[in-house]
Amino acid sequence: MQIQNATVLITGANRGIGLAFAREALARGARRVYAASRQLGAVTLPGVTPLPLDVTDPEQVARAVREAGDVTLLINNAGVAETGGFLADTTLESTRRQLEVNFFGMLRMSQAFAPVLAAHGGGALLNVLSIASWINRPLLGTYGATKSAAWALTNGLRHELRAQGTQVTALHMGFVDTALTHGIDAPKSTPEAIVARAFDGLEAGADEVLADALTQQVKASLSSATPAYLAAA
């Protein structure tokens, strides 16, 4: 999948990784970039087409299909994160809120735009996941569960969409310097570095992009005697 001359739709494109995706898509020669956000007026990047969209709202998703029926690359970037593990009193409510965006929103968008991608020769789907797809700690326990679910969804979509020629790529990374990780004291990549690696991998036909060294180490550990998800914190 080449970005040049592609028509790209990015969810959660008003800031952070989503905004970096929009900028890089323009820089790589995309024909059109739909920058979607649930916050009206939040998308101000010159050269993009703003698209009001809450991925948890079926009516808004259906409207997005009508307004962006020329999409050849869908980037499921919209996501939310809440801190906390599994034993707090508020865990069920927190997990449901995150699942609505991180899993069901991704599923809803993929279902809605799969026929659009098929109509334009297959295109591609890029799902923004996380190192938390494989490793879980109390700081982001419930968030990690939603990203594990989104990873399973992505792997399933890859098989289901293969027949229509749609490339499905998963993007995994550790902490990125965005508003989502504000206040977390840990090494962080820049959104620009993550997006550049994501698009390089997509254009190379990769099924998964491991966008930083820590993510590569954690993925490699899954086949070791003591995988990272079993290691003590």
Side-chain angles (χ1 to χ4, degrees):
M1 175 73 195
Q2 298 302 304
I3 307 304
Q4 187 172 11
N5 294 323
T7 300
V8 185
L9 192 161
I10 306 154
T11 64
N14 57 300
R15 63 182 184 178
I17 296 174
L19 179 58
F21 267 121
R23 287 185 175 128
E24 185 66 11
L26 291 173
R28 295 196 184 205
R31 177 182 290 116
R32 175 176 292 178
V33 176
Y34 293 101
S37 171
R38 62 183 174 182
Q39 299 175 354
L40 291 175
V43 176
T44 59
L45 179 65
V48 304
T49 301
L51 188 67
L53 175 62
D54 182 342
V55 299
T56 69
D57 186 330
E59 292 184 2
Q60 291 192 31
V61 171
R63 184 182 64 196
V65 171
R66 293 192 298 270
E67 295 182 5
D70 54 345
V71 166
T72 60
L73 169 59
L74 170 63
I75 300 177
N76 280 316
N77 168 71
V80 296
E82 298 183 20
T83 57
F86 295 105
L87 301 180
D89 291 340
T90 57
T91 290
L92 289 176
E93 292 75 14
S94 174
T95 305
R96 286 192 181 101
R97 285 192 296 268
Q98 293 174 88
L99 279 169
E100 279 299 322
V101 179
N102 299 349
F103 177 79
F104 290 110
M106 183 179 289
L107 174 57
R108 184 175 288 112
M109 288 293 293
S110 300
Q111 287 178 330
F113 276 90
V116 175
L117 297 176
H120 296 286
L125 187 66
L126 175 63
N127 287 346
V128 177
L129 304 177
S130 172
I131 195 174
S133 303
W134 311 308
I135 189 169
N136 194 297
R137 294 291 184 268
L139 176 65
L140 292 170
T142 56
Y143 170 79
T146 70
K147 287 300 186 178
S148 293
W151 181 43
L153 169 62
T154 303
N155 293 335
L157 288 171
R158 186 176 298 111
H159 293 292
E160 292 191 42
L161 295 176
R162 183 173 290 121
Q164 71 174 42
T166 298
Q167 176 184 342
V168 178
T169 298
L171 171 63
H172 299 270
M173 81 290 285
F175 289 120
V176 183
D177 191 11
T178 68
L180 201 66
T181 63
H182 180 71
I184 295 177
D185 184 16
K188 299 173 187 177
S189 301
T190 66
E192 292 75 18
I194 296 299
V195 165
R197 290 169 190 146
F199 275 159
D200 287 347
L202 184 75
E203 293 188 323
D207 288 336
E208 286 192 328
V209 176
L210 312 181
D212 56 43
L214 180 59
T215 302
Q216 294 164 16
Q217 292 168 11
V218 168
K219 182 65 184 294
S221 84
L222 298 183
S223 61
S224 70
T226 306
Y229 64 87
L230 293 178

